[in-house]
């Protein structure tokens, strides 16, 4: 991926477009902010770093779990071929779709549902970005990762997770890199902190 172009787009993209009400005025801060329904948009520098780690290519098919505000989706969609984004809260998904359509994106596909199960009909994916924290690695997502593909995912308990980069080599073997501690909202469902919900 062209990291310089990513940095330019990141500097250009107005985060206030993805926020509502009083949060709009705080868009320029490098901090997480509430987006309603008990969910948060991550601090922009972390979104940038996770996009760098995922490193989508212009021909990549990307799966995103946790559409949220759609801010991360925009960065992914600008630097890949197609983005399939999953969100369990219908209102957030619809609002993100409206915003991203307004911004002119035509390569994003939206689905409301449990993202830990992935989107098997559209897989395999070259890249998978997960922006909700899993208690353990979701096997379904690994199964939907193409050979040579990569997942960026926070895995760990409620208050602190490891940011993991999982890569699948051309023989299907998984390699894991641990990138330090992060704190995300819970991936609700079988891979969340409470197990089955
Ligand atoms: N990337 C987002 C951050 C979203 S916060 C942004 O840039 O704004 C995490 C999101 O994951 C929340 O919107 C939450 O509703 C969603 N989420 C949590 N568990 C999920 C699941 N199992 N499937 C799909 N979405 C999930």
């Amino acid at each position: 991926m062209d990291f310089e172009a990513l940095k330019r787009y990141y500097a250009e993209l107005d985060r206030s477009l993805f926020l509502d009400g009083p949060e709009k005025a705080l868009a320029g801060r490098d901090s997480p902010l509430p987006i309603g329904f008990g969910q948060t948009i991550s601090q922009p520098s972390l979104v940038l770093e996770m996009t760098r780690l995922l490193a989508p290519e212009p021909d990549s098919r990307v799966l995103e779990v946790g559409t949220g505000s759609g801010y991360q989706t925009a960065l992914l969609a600008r630097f890949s071929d197609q983005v399939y984004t999953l969100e369990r809260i219908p209102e957030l998904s619809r609002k993100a779709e409206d915003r991203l359509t307004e911004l002119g994106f035509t390569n994003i596909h939206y689905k409301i549902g449990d993202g830990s199960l992935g989107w098997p009909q559209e897989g395999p994916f070259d890249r998978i970005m997960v922006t909700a924290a899993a208690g353990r690695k979701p096997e379904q997502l690994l199964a939907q990762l193409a050979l040579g593909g990569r997942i960026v995912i926070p895995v760990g308990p409620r208050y602190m997770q490891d940011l993991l980069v999982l890569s699948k080599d051309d023989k299907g073997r998984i390699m894991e890199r641990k990138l330090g501690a992060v704190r995300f909202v819970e991936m609700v469902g079988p891979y969340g902190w409470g197990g089955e919900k």
Side-chain angles (χ1 to χ4, degrees):
M1 114 173 275
D2 181 344
F3 294 117
E4 289 307 315
L6 171 64
K7 265 198 271 176
R8 281 197 300 274
Y9 185 61
Y10 167 78
E12 257 167 45
L13 185 61
D14 180 1
R15 194 164 75 130
S16 75
L17 298 175
F18 299 88
L19 294 162
D20 296 306
E23 267 69 45
K24 261 193 189 297
L26 307 176
R29 287 194 192 169
D30 192 26
S31 64
L33 291 170
I35 56 171
F37 307 92
Q39 308 303 322
T40 54
I41 184 172
S42 303
Q43 69 266 39
S45 58
L46 180 59
V47 177
L48 176 67
E49 181 57 18
M50 287 173 70
T51 309
R52 277 169 41 82
L53 290 168
L54 194 71
E57 293 299 333
D59 63 351
S60 291
R61 291 166 59 80
V62 179
L63 176 70
E64 180 188 35
V65 177
T67 314
S69 67
Y71 176 72
Q72 167 78 82
T73 320
L75 293 184
L76 295 172
R78 175 71 182 73
F79 294 96
S80 61
D81 181 29
Q82 301 294 319
V83 175
Y84 296 83
T85 186
L86 295 163
E87 170 58 54
R88 57 179 285 274
I89 300 175
E91 291 86 346
L92 288 177
S93 178
R94 291 198 200 103
K95 213 190 294 190
E97 179 168 1
D98 288 348
R99 288 165 171 159
L100 292 161
T101 304
E102 179 82 8
L103 283 172
F105 286 103
T106 54
N107 60 338
I108 306 173
H109 313 270
Y110 307 82
K111 190 168 155 185
I112 297 164
D114 182 1
S116 63
L117 307 175
W119 196 331
Q121 298 84 348
E122 298 293 349
F125 301 97
D126 305 298
R127 300 285 187 272
I128 301 179
M129 176 69 91
V130 183
T131 62
R136 59 198 166 90
K137 290 171 242 169
E139 296 91 23
Q140 276 97 332
L141 297 184
L142 281 168
Q144 287 167 42
L145 187 64
L147 295 178
R150 189 178 305 168
I151 303 186
V152 173
I153 181 171
V155 178
R158 190 175 300 269
Y159 294 106
M160 188 101 89
Q161 304 95 36
D162 287 317
L163 188 62
L164 302 183
V165 179
L166 306 171
S167 322
K168 196 182 256 192
D169 72 10
D170 54 9
K171 299 213 164 55
R173 289 175 300 217
I174 305 291
M175 281 147 308
E176 178 176 318
R177 257 198 313 153
K178 232 180 240 184
L179 277 302
V182 287
R183 185 171 178 180
F184 276 84
V185 296
E186 179 180 19
M187 180 194 275
V188 175
Y191 293 93
W193 300 316
E196 220 73 43
K197 282 219 174 109

